[in-house]
Amino acid sequence: MFTKKEKEDQKINTDKFEHYIGIYDFYFKDLRDKNINILEIGVKNGESLRLWSKYFKNANIIGVDLNPECLKEKDENLNIDIIIGDQSDPKTFEKIKDTKFDIIIDDGSHVFNHMITSYLILWQNLKLGGLYFIEDTSMTFHDNFLGYPQHRLTWDKFIIGAIRTLDLDIFSHNLVDKRIKKDPNQRANYDHPISKNIKKNTGIDPKKFKNQILFIHAYNNLLVFKKKFDLDKSCMNQLESSDKILSSKDKK
């Protein structure tokens, strides 16, 4: 993305782990010159937003943070806007409810239920073929982030549920639906492990997201979700080439 010298020359001082930068470059390099929308949860001193502004020359960038002091990081010259609000509150995202994003990055509170809620709220705002990143997932082991042990297990179940949707996908979902129709008691074997809790706490039913994830990549402290290019096609039909997997828009 940027060499150490380039970061120093451009006065980029983000607190992101160094290995994140290379990972982001892997996914972002074909998007650098495109007109895209980026949403990042967690503003702090604004360095991360300025990083994206310098990397993506034609991007519209929105940062979300709970701290009103972050409003000072708004910069029209760099196409950076700021929303103040709690990432776990759907009202925070009312202003952008009709905006579709190519990239969404959660570098916010790192509290497990906040990350889950934000994902469920914002997934509908992610464009087809878009990328959703969740940073610093190891914080779910830390007590000061409502982490380990019981809450970490909830986070693990959430990720397991996301992976389960990949395994079921369209073809398998059809078989499962027929099986459940014959025996409704079978539903518990296929639903998201924390489906009832999610629906109770957020009002969002995780089942509406089935068949929408193209892939999930897991790195140290970082998760990457890719949304399908076509929700009516299976994953197998969309994983044709590496450039198509990583690009923001379907190449025909």
Side-chain angles (χ1 to χ4, degrees), residues 48-204:
S48 180
L49 299 182
R50 284 188 283 276
L51 168 68
W52 304 135
S53 179
K54 290 174 181 177
Y55 185 81
F56 298 101
K57 300 299 183 183
N58 301 307
N60 293 308
I61 302 163
I62 297 176
V64 178
D65 204 285
L66 190 62
N67 186 356
E69 288 291 316
C70 292
L71 281 173
K72 66 184 181 182
E73 305 303 336
K74 181 176 179 177
D75 191 330
E76 293 183 1
N77 293 326
L78 297 177
N79 293 328
I80 294 174
D81 196 6
I82 303 293
I83 294 174
I84 300 300
D86 185 339
Q87 73 173 100
S88 65
D89 185 352
K91 293 179 182 178
T92 298
F93 304 103
E94 277 293 313
K95 182 181 177 181
I96 55 170
K97 64 180 181 180
D98 297 323
T99 304
K100 296 296 183 181
F101 293 93
D102 301 86
I103 297 167
I104 298 176
I105 301 167
D106 185 347
D107 186 20
S109 70
H110 309 310
V111 174
F112 82 98
N113 56 329
H114 293 178
M115 295 188 292
I116 293 172
T117 302
S118 297
Y119 173 87
L120 294 170
I121 293 170
L122 293 171
W123 185 259
Q124 62 191 346
N125 292 90
L126 189 66
K127 288 183 182 179
L128 295 178
L131 291 158
Y132 193 108
F133 298 82
I134 302 179
E135 292 188 4
D136 304 341
T137 51
S138 67
M139 295 300 102
T140 52
F141 281 111
H142 294 235
D143 289 338
N144 54 331
F145 289 92
L146 295 182
Y148 190 81
Q150 67 273 25
H151 296 116
R152 173 69 201 198
L153 294 177
T154 302
W155 174 252
D156 289 345
K157 288 179 180 179
F158 173 72
I159 300 304
I160 290 170
I163 294 172
R164 182 178 292 183
T165 66
L166 286 174
D167 288 339
L168 288 172
D169 202 36
I170 291 175
F171 177 69
S172 296
H173 261 304
N174 292 336
L175 297 178
V176 169
D177 288 343
K178 290 178 182 178
R179 191 172 297 165
I180 292 174
K181 190 173 182 180
K182 288 183 179 179
D183 181 7
N185 292 325
Q186 289 285 326
R187 180 172 296 282
N189 295 327
Y190 303 104
D191 276 352
H192 193 292
I194 56 172
S195 179
K196 291 181 180 178
N197 289 338
I198 289 175
K199 191 171 183 180
K200 179 181 178 182
N201 295 332
T202 68
I204 300 170

